Amino acid sequence: MKLICYKRCTTCKGVEKMLEEKGISYDYRDIKEDNPKSSELKSWHEKTGLPIKRFFNTSGKIYRENNLKDKVNDMSLDEAYDLLSTDGMLVKRPILFTDEGEIFVGPDVKKYIESL
């Protein structure tokens, strides 16, 4: 498994703890240090079928400061991917990639881990 998180995020810390308690090994990628590229975001979005807004960290400071709530719905997908790729703090976390090829984003990660 691969887990994309931010080391200071309490939700991410909780997910890591859940994985460790279940004895599940994973590779860790810090979203702030290794921000997803536009092409990665496009691939993940297409694979999950989730609305693009689910990939935005809507409770984050950058999202709020830039009034993205009013702008995201009017963006093209390419504009959204490009914007998300500018700063890892804009991207919803955690993101979990299973060995079976599934991708879970945000609260879906905990639900998936609980089901294991």
Side-chain angles (χ1 to χ4, degrees):
M1 287 194 189
K2 183 192 292 184
L3 182 66
I4 299 180
C5 277
Y6 175 52
K7 61 186 171 189
R8 293 178 54 197
C9 171
T10 55
T11 302
C12 291
K13 288 178 185 178
V15 164
E16 284 188 272
K17 184 177 179 183
M18 289 172 71
L19 288 169
E20 289 167 11
E21 286 173 352
K22 290 187 177 266
I24 299 170
S25 62
Y26 60 94
D27 294 323
Y28 182 89
R29 176 175 169 183
D30 188 315
I31 202 163
K32 188 164 176 74
E33 303 297 321
D34 187 4
N35 190 49
K37 295 171 183 55
S38 180
S39 59
E40 289 178 300
L41 291 156
K42 179 179 180 179
S43 172
W44 303 341
H45 173 243
E46 289 173 350
K47 184 154 187 156
T48 63
L50 294 170
I52 191 62
K53 191 165 185 172
R54 288 279 310 273
F55 283 86
F56 280 87
N57 178 12
T58 57
S59 61
K61 181 179 177 183
I62 297 170
Y63 186 89
R64 290 189 318 265
E65 285 177 351
N66 290 291
N67 296 316
L68 292 177
K69 177 182 177 188
D70 301 326
K71 299 174 185 176
V72 168
N73 294 330
D74 295 329
M75 287 182 187
S76 71
L77 288 175
D78 286 336
E79 288 171 327
Y81 303 142
D82 289 344
L83 178 60
L84 286 164
S85 71
T86 64
D87 193 317
M89 296 296 94
L90 275 173
V91 181
K92 185 72 172 174
R93 54 191 182 268
I95 303 173
L96 180 72
F97 301 83
T98 70
D99 294 337
E100 293 77 29
E102 295 174 290
I103 302 171
F104 297 93
V105 180
D108 295 339
V109 172
K110 275 189 174 182
K111 290 176 190 170
Y112 171 74
I113 295 169
E114 288 170 349
S115 74
L116 296 176

